[in-house]
Amino acid sequence: MDTDKLELAKIGQNGKFGRYVIVPSVEIGGGGYRASTVNEQYGGDTGAVFDEDAALDSTAIPLKVNGRDYAYMPYGDDDDMPVKIRRLIGANMVTAQCMAFDILACYGQGLRFVHRDDPSKTADDDAIRAFRLRNSINECFMEQATDMKYYFFTVTEIILSGDQGKIVKVRHLESCYCRFEQAKKGRIEHVFYGDFAEHTPPTNVVAIPLLDLYDPLGDLLVRLGREPDPDTGRKRVPTKEHKFAVVCRMPTPGFKYYPTPYYLSIFRDNWYDIYKLIGLGKKFLIKNTSAPRVQIEVHDDYWERVCQQENIIDPEKAVERIKEERRKIIDFVCGPENAGKAILTHYYVDPNGKECRMVRIYDLTEGRKQGGDWSDDMSEASNALCFALGVHPNLIGATPGKSQMNNSGSDKRELFTLKQAMEKAFHDVMAKPWLLILHFNGWDKYTVDVPMIELTTLDKNKDSQEVTINNDNGNGDDDNKG
């Protein structure tokens, strides 16, 4: 243990005895240290990090791209919300694992191009096979699922061939590096993609024309001069652009530019902070630096007696000697490597002839069970985080053990099936760019599907099987078939 980073902090007075606790210290410059505050030890509340409501009416930020002036809407009140979300989710093992499980559940068996009339048959067209090979469709869909779960929206870039006859490439754009242009006449015209998270203002930014959020195919055909413009009734001169952005957004109440995922309630609520504080408290307890661990009482005359005993008169040397003595007390108390060591302290005789120690160290946790003080609270906080992220704790092992409501195999299979069934809404929204590609490229007899995994019982002689979620009841009228 690095006891050099610990300090004695005075917390009270008992007669002529000063009460001290040992706390972590922070550097104050010039080689000096001071006792850290509670916020410095445990961190501030996460509720103050997210003020997305204030960003709804925030002023657009000017941006210059290739010599042209634009204005984009900040993502969060300080334009840094996606980075904060990513950092906080990754800083907590429960939220990180829940998010990973969410993403994998959303991915299912991966994206498939299937026959419209028989979704059990995958597309056997050579052109589609070549398109899949050249665009890493599975990886792109996994990136979609990741951003959709983290930020509730995805941005996909489609790239046309030289003659604008086909969509030949598709690329996923990381949502945390995307910003929307300020709307003009109720329409967002561009998506900006660049290093918003690393530089302020961003340096490497590209402006990508954004297709209509609700009719990307029709908008693309209008831009290419293939269909009349609904506003004028006439066909436009074909654009020279070959790259366009398609945005998929999960609806949330009240958002104008960037959706606010429902799970962000864990940061406005207290459970994220409670889980964090329990972990830090246990850490400090184990390292023997937590305030409730020990209490030290030092007589007010002790420091002076130390200097008198060694005939130290110089004020500066006296200050240094007192610091050394405080360090000896800390080293004596803290760390298992100091077990068996002794410390010499002064004593005095009171008027009744009783010898009194000038330094007293009390173990405030003597007789109490150590390490399991907050086990139930940790489990409760973990369950609350899992609940907010829509993942049952037994599916990811957040509350292991038979005493922690560990469900049977049948219950877990049902929970897993329910979880995957709930992903259909995400799949329908994420299908937008793929349906656009199929229709634009003339592959109309195919549609997209995301087969799910169904866990089976051992009597079926296999661990899992593939199922498809469709609502057409076999009559071919599923709206999601494009």
Side-chain angles (χ1 to χ4, degrees):
M1 178 184 299
D2 188 1
T3 57
D4 290 337
K5 294 183 179 180
L6 303 176
E7 285 291 331
L8 281 178
K10 191 171 184 178
I11 61 172
Q13 189 79 17
N14 181 18
K16 290 187 176 182
F17 284 87
R19 291 178 177 174
Y20 297 81
V21 293
I22 301 174
V23 297
S25 62
V26 294
E27 191 171 0
I28 58 177
Y33 289 85
R34 64 168 173 80
S36 60
T37 64
V38 173
N39 273 350
E40 287 169 336
Q41 294 178 48
Y42 290 93
D45 293 338
T46 54
V49 173
F50 300 96
D51 194 10
E52 66 275 6
D53 294 335
L56 295 178
D57 299 318
S58 58
T59 305
I61 301 175
L63 179 68
K64 187 179 290 291
V65 181
N66 295 329
R68 182 177 173 182
D69 292 323
Y70 297 93
Y72 74 92
M73 299 305 297
Y75 195 163
D77 59 337
D78 57 358
D79 198 28
D80 199 31
M81 183 183 286
V83 175
K84 293 176 180 176
I85 292 175
R86 188 180 63 198
R87 183 176 65 247
L88 288 172
I89 288 293
N92 183 298
M93 65 177 181
V94 176
T95 56
Q97 186 58 36
C98 281
M99 189 62 73
F101 180 85
D102 254 349
I103 293 168
L104 293 175
C106 185
Y107 181 81
Q109 291 275 17
L111 186 75
R112 307 283 177 88
F113 291 154
V114 299
H115 286 263
R116 180 181 298 276
D117 297 327
D118 187 358
S120 64
K121 296 181 180 179
T122 57
D124 51 6
D125 190 288
D126 290 339
I128 293 182
R129 188 177 298 109
F131 179 81
R132 290 184 61 93
L133 290 174
R134 291 177 178 270
N135 287 282
S136 300
I137 298 301
N138 291 332
E139 184 175 352
C140 190
F141 183 68
M142 188 66 170
E143 291 173 329
Q144 264 192 302
T146 301
D147 273 354
M148 185 62 78
K149 289 299 183 177
Y150 265 88
Y151 307 113
F152 267 39
F153 78 96
T154 69
V155 182
T156 304
E157 181 183 51
I158 58 172
I159 303 173
L160 277 62
S161 58
D163 61 0
Q164 298 180 328
K166 298 283 186 180
I167 296 174
V168 293
K169 292 185 181 298
V170 57
R171 297 291 182 265
H172 175 78
L173 304 181
E174 292 282 348
S175 295
C176 61
Y177 301 119
C178 290
R179 298 294 185 271
F180 294 131
E181 185 180 14
Q182 186 178 28
K184 300 175 181 177
K185 297 181 179 180
R187 178 167 180 171
I188 304 172
E189 296 183 354
H190 292 88
V191 170
F192 302 110
Y193 188 61
D195 52 2
F196 290 92
E198 281 80 18
H199 298 89
T200 304
T203 55
N204 301 313
V205 180
V206 294
I208 306 171
L210 174 62
L211 296 178
D212 186 272
L213 293 174
Y214 298 101
D215 184 16
L217 176 62
D219 188 16
L220 180 60
L221 295 176
V222 169
R223 291 171 185 258
L224 298 178
R226 300 186 186 181
E227 288 188 357
D229 187 337
D231 296 332
T232 63
R234 298 189 299 271
K235 292 184 178 180
R236 297 183 187 177
V237 176
T239 179
K240 295 181 180 180
E241 295 282 354
H242 286 76
K243 298 180 180 181
F244 300 93
V246 181
V247 172
C248 306
R249 300 194 295 185
M250 286 297 292
T252 57
F255 81 95
K256 294 181 180 179
Y257 288 91
Y258 307 98
T260 303
Y262 294 104
Y263 73 82
L264 290 188
S265 60
I266 64 175
F267 302 120
R268 288 192 174 277
D269 202 350
N270 297 315
W271 287 108
Y272 184 94
D273 290 326
I274 290 173
Y275 187 94
K276 174 184 176 183
L277 291 173
I278 292 173
L280 287 173
K282 280 179 172 284
K283 176 181 176 181
F284 287 150
L285 186 64
I286 293 171
K287 293 181 71 174
N288 210 8
T289 62
S290 180
R293 178 66 174 177
V294 294
Q295 178 178 293
I296 303 171
E297 290 187 357
V298 182
H299 196 282
D300 292 341
D301 297 335
Y302 177 71
W303 313 113
E304 183 179 350
R305 286 202 179 193
V306 169
C307 296
Q308 289 177 352
Q309 186 75 17
E310 300 181 13
N311 297 318
I312 299 175
I313 301 175
D314 186 285
E316 292 184 0
K317 291 183 178 180
V319 170
E320 291 300 320
R321 181 62 184 88
I322 292 173
K323 286 184 179 180
E324 180 185 350
E325 189 66 18
R326 293 166 73 99
R327 177 60 51 201
K328 285 183 178 179
I329 295 175
I330 294 174
D331 291 341
F332 173 73
V333 171
C334 295
E337 67 274 12
N338 295 321
K341 291 185 178 180
I343 183 173
L344 298 177
T345 63
H346 300 273
Y347 70 91
Y348 68 95
V349 180
D350 65 13
N352 297 322
K354 181 181 178 181
E355 294 181 355
C356 299
R357 292 171 295 168
M358 300 194 75
V359 177
R360 302 172 182 175
I361 300 174
Y362 299 96
D363 184 357
L364 300 183
T365 59
E366 185 177 359
R368 294 172 54 192
K369 179 182 177 182
Q370 298 296 312
D373 299 16
W374 301 305
S375 295
D376 291 340
D377 302 292
M378 178 73 82
S379 178
E380 182 183 20
S382 175
N383 286 341
L385 296 176
C386 290
F387 172 76
L389 285 160
V391 178
H392 195 284
N394 282 329
L395 289 177
I396 62 169
T399 54
K402 292 185 178 299
S403 63
Q404 301 292 333
M405 301 181 299
N406 205 4
N407 300 98
S408 65
S410 298
D411 291 336
K412 289 181 179 179
R413 283 191 295 273
E414 292 299 326
L415 288 171
F416 185 74
T417 301
L418 176 63
K419 177 62 180 176
Q420 293 225 312
M422 292 173 63
E423 301 300 327
K424 187 177 188 302
F426 287 92
H427 295 161
D428 290 347
V429 174
M430 293 159 59
K432 184 194 298 185
W434 309 108
L435 293 175
L436 165 65
I437 292 169
L438 289 174
H439 283 275
F440 186 86
N441 286 356
W443 302 327
D444 293 335
K445 65 179 181 178
Y446 303 108
T447 187
V448 292
D449 187 34
V450 183
M452 308 308 293
I453 302 171
E454 182 186 24
L455 300 179
T456 62
T457 55
L458 295 178
D459 59 340
K460 292 187 178 181
N461 296 322
K462 54 183 178 180
D463 296 328
S464 63
Q465 64 186 15
E466 183 180 306
V467 296
T468 300
I469 300 178
N470 285 292
N471 297 326
D472 59 354
N473 296 320
N475 55 20
D477 58 356
D478 183 8
D479 292 338
N480 294 316
K481 292 183 178 180

